[in-house]
């Protein structure tokens, strides 16, 4: 149902993230120290468009959902950098490790070592430094 009509109750999406505060030390083998940041609060808007009734008493519609940051309820800066694990890369490496022939595991380990040293803006091998908006919404 639409929640954009006047008087409709609001729906919210809340998220908390974890920032690695000792990233340099973690790269040297130290245990990560995590700081919880947030909440980041987004108002969820749900709209239904092109609502049509079919001849067999079914309703058809296109559902559209979008989110807007609610700065009054958000306690953290959504543009502040957050150091975290590079989850897409770790997911690919885990999938490779679990699905390759045992004789290829050393090559996957070598690939992981090479990728761990890869650096570009915001990506540092197994780690990524992004702001909350990038981490939550891509």
């Amino acid at each position: 149902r639409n929640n954009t009509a006047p008087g409709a109750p609001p729906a919210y999406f809340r998220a908390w993230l974890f920032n690695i505060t000792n990233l340099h030390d973690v790269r040297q083998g130290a245990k990560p120290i995590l700081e919880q940041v947030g909440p980041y609060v987004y108002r969820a808007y749900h709209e239904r468009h092109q609502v049509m009734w079919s001849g067999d008493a079914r309703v058809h519609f296109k559902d559209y959902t979008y989110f807007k940051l609610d700065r009054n309820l958000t306690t953290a800066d959504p543009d502040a950098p957050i150091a975290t694990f590079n989850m897409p890369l770790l997911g690919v490496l885990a999938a490779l490790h679990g699905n390759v022939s045992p004789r290829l595991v050393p090559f996957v380990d070598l690939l992981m070592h090479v990728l761990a040293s890869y650096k570009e803006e915001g990506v540092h091998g197994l780690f990524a430094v992004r702001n909350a908006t990038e981490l939550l919404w891509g």
Side-chain angles (χ1 to χ4, degrees):
R1 86 177 189 199
N2 290 358
N3 73 342
T4 57
Y12 293 98
F13 167 74
R14 291 175 178 84
W16 289 262
L17 299 170
F18 289 95
N19 182 34
I20 302 171
T21 61
N22 63 335
L23 185 57
H24 178 72
D25 296 333
V26 171
R27 286 195 188 119
Q28 306 303 317
K31 182 178 179 180
I33 298 172
L34 302 177
E35 169 194 27
Q36 182 175 325
V37 291
Y40 300 95
V41 181
Y42 294 84
R43 169 98 189 264
Y45 294 90
H46 305 285
E47 298 175 355
R48 290 189 178 152
H49 297 277
Q50 300 177 4
V51 178
M52 298 176 287
W53 288 93
S54 65
D56 58 355
R58 290 188 198 180
V59 65
H60 301 272
F61 58 88
K62 292 189 179 190
D63 200 18
Y64 179 63
T65 302
Y66 60 97
F67 300 88
K68 287 187 179 179
L69 180 69
D70 187 325
R71 291 197 180 267
N72 293 326
L73 298 176
T74 297
T75 60
D77 179 4
D79 298 318
I82 297 172
T84 188
F85 296 101
N86 186 345
M87 295 309 287
L89 176 59
L90 291 176
V92 167
L93 292 174
L96 282 174
H97 239 287
N99 294 313
V100 297
S101 163
R103 33 178 241 267
L104 293 178
V105 169
F107 296 108
V108 173
D109 290 339
L110 176 63
L111 176 64
M112 185 169 156
H113 179 71
V114 169
L115 291 174
S117 62
Y118 176 77
K119 289 187 180 188
E120 76 173 42
E121 184 179 345
V123 176
H124 306 278
L126 299 176
F127 304 95
V129 180
R130 303 275 192 224
N131 66 40
T133 303
E134 292 169 325
L135 289 170
L136 291 170
W137 307 109

